Amino acid sequence: MTPANAAPLVFITGASSGIGQALAARFARAGYRLALVARRTADLQAWADAQGYGADRCRVYGADVAQTDSIVAAGQACLTGQGLPDVVIANAGISVGMDTGERDDLDVLSRTFATNNVGMAATFHPFVRAMRARGSGALVGIASVAAIRGLPGHGAYCGSKAAVVSYCESLRGELRGSGVAVVTLLPGYVDTPLTRENRYPMPFLMTPEAFAERAFRAIAERVSYRVIPWQMGVLAKLLRLLPNAWFDRALQGRPRKHRAGEGR
């Protein structure tokens, strides 16, 4: 049980680098206690210690969101050790190129959906009933602007992020009137270890800190859906409106995302 006078609590997956770590720092500046989840717990704990976050403000949980029991256990440990979060951010995700003609890439597709989709639902699972009973809270799904149109070589990533948008929309309807908000955020290109491997132009590239600032405001406002930055949202919507033949022609010859094990 959370003490009545305790600072608000945020639970963030994928917090060891990139967007997740920037979000953790932004919420900490706002006075939140932190429940941070990652596979690389030593790196994450070292970062938290370097920021001066003591055990009263921050706890690190080891989990692999692709393993349902692992992330559910981390959520339950948070409930026991820190209480019910005010905000849960399902940020952990992977992005790998794929070719449906390659047998190994079917396993890439499976891992991507296990992490980006089943992992998101498993992240929310430990908290949904308790938040509904309390009548407050926010569940935040990190999708991607890649959800808006499928890109050649990105079938696993685009498909999984489109599924994130639809899943969060469904969950939002289920929780309507409960006091629990569902926020869907679609980052454009953010300068993280994942995107640095891309071999194609990345318009409106943002730092993780710039994304985290705008995301924090969106979550505080309890918006249902937002593309960050807005310019990328306009571009993506214009691409959505293009006839398929024009869209396919525009992307013809575009470099594709690296497949698993492919040379950089």
Side-chain angles (χ1 to χ4, degrees), residues 20-258:
Q21 195 168 95
L23 285 167
R26 181 62 185 87
F27 273 87
R29 289 199 302 274
Y32 278 71
R33 293 176 297 130
L34 306 176
L36 305 181
V37 182
R39 289 179 299 174
R40 303 192 304 271
T41 54
D43 291 347
L44 181 52
Q45 187 63 61
W47 174 81
D49 292 343
Q51 308 311 304
Y53 301 153
D56 59 329
R57 288 201 63 198
C58 176
R59 296 194 189 181
V60 171
Y61 302 91
D64 181 350
V65 300
Q67 303 295 323
T68 298
D69 288 343
S70 175
I71 182 59
V72 168
Q76 291 170 338
C78 172
L79 288 169
T80 300
Q82 293 177 280
L84 178 60
D86 299 271
V87 179
V88 175
I89 305 177
N91 166 72
I94 58 175
S95 174
V96 185
M98 69 166 292
D99 181 340
T100 303
E102 298 291 336
R103 170 60 185 86
D104 288 348
D105 285 7
L106 299 182
D107 297 328
V108 169
L109 180 69
S110 179
R111 288 195 300 274
T112 302
F113 273 80
T115 301
N116 296 358
N117 302 108
V118 180
M120 177 171 290
T123 297
F124 293 157
H125 165 76
F127 309 112
V128 170
R129 289 183 177 175
M131 281 186 169
R132 183 186 275 136
R134 184 181 61 188
S136 67
L139 303 172
V140 182
I142 304 296
S144 167
V145 73
I148 296 175
R149 286 216 75 153
L151 303 173
H154 292 62
Y157 186 68
C158 291
S160 70
K161 291 303 185 178
V164 165
V165 173
S166 294
Y167 164 75
C168 287
E169 188 170 53
S170 297
L171 185 61
R172 188 174 73 243
E174 293 166 17
L175 294 174
R176 180 176 173 81
S178 69
V180 182
V182 178
V183 177
T184 310
L185 300 180
L186 288 75
Y189 292 113
V190 181
D191 184 15
T192 69
L194 281 178
T195 59
R196 286 173 202 148
E197 297 177 351
N198 291 344
R199 46 191 175 186
Y200 42 79
M202 294 183 286
F204 310 114
L205 183 68
M206 304 179 71
T207 65
E209 293 74 23
F211 171 81
E213 179 61 40
R214 298 185 199 187
F216 178 84
R217 294 200 300 266
I219 295 166
E221 294 166 12
R222 300 298 194 257
V223 302
S224 60
Y225 177 101
R226 181 165 293 174
V227 179
I228 301 174
W230 67 265
Q231 296 95 329
M232 196 65 193
V234 171
L235 177 59
K237 290 294 185 183
L238 290 174
L239 290 175
R240 180 71 267 173
L241 293 172
L242 277 181
N244 288 342
W246 293 10
F247 178 76
D248 295 345
R249 189 177 303 118
L251 293 183
Q252 187 173 3
R254 180 180 187 267
R256 298 188 179 192
K257 194 168 193 68
H258 291 282

